[in-house]
Amino acid sequence: MVFQFGCSDIVQAMWPTPHETLRWGAASNDPIYVLPVVAITTFFFYLLMPKKVALAHTFTFWSVVSALLVTKGTLALGSNGARTALSS
């Protein structure tokens, strides 16, 4: 996708060591602007799914969001596989 549509770019990630990775969509916002979208998505999980299913989705979703924020310092999704491709 990065080569066909030019909709990705390369950013610096922090974990496990500083390295370059792809940012899909080539757009990021400060986490303070993204977290309301995460909260709204979680609300829709509970609105549209049975409670246990919504709980499983919420746990998984918030785990991914937290991991991205802590390890990459951003909520823009990146590809760790790009690290190998870019460094070779």
Side-chain angles (χ1 to χ4, degrees):
M1 188 166 34
V2 66
F3 300 112
Q4 292 178 348
F5 302 110
C7 62
S8 297
D9 64 355
I10 299 171
V11 295
Q12 189 73 16
M14 299 184 312
W15 189 84
T17 59
H19 66 279
E20 292 179 327
T21 187
L22 291 177
R23 178 175 54 184
W24 302 111
S28 298
N29 283 315
D30 195 75
I32 196 72
Y33 300 114
V34 178
L35 289 176
V37 175
V38 173
I40 291 168
T41 302
T42 302
F43 170 74
F44 279 109
F45 287 166
Y46 283 93
L47 185 66
L48 301 173
M49 298 177 187
K51 296 272 187 226
K52 287 183 179 181
V53 175
L55 183 61
H57 277 76
T58 299
F59 176 76
T60 304
F61 186 49
W62 278 90
S63 296
V64 169
V65 167
S66 299
L68 283 171
L69 190 56
V70 169
T71 62
K72 294 190 182 282
T74 181
L75 293 177
L77 299 177
S79 170
N80 289 326
R83 177 181 182 191
T84 305
L86 293 172
S87 62
S88 57

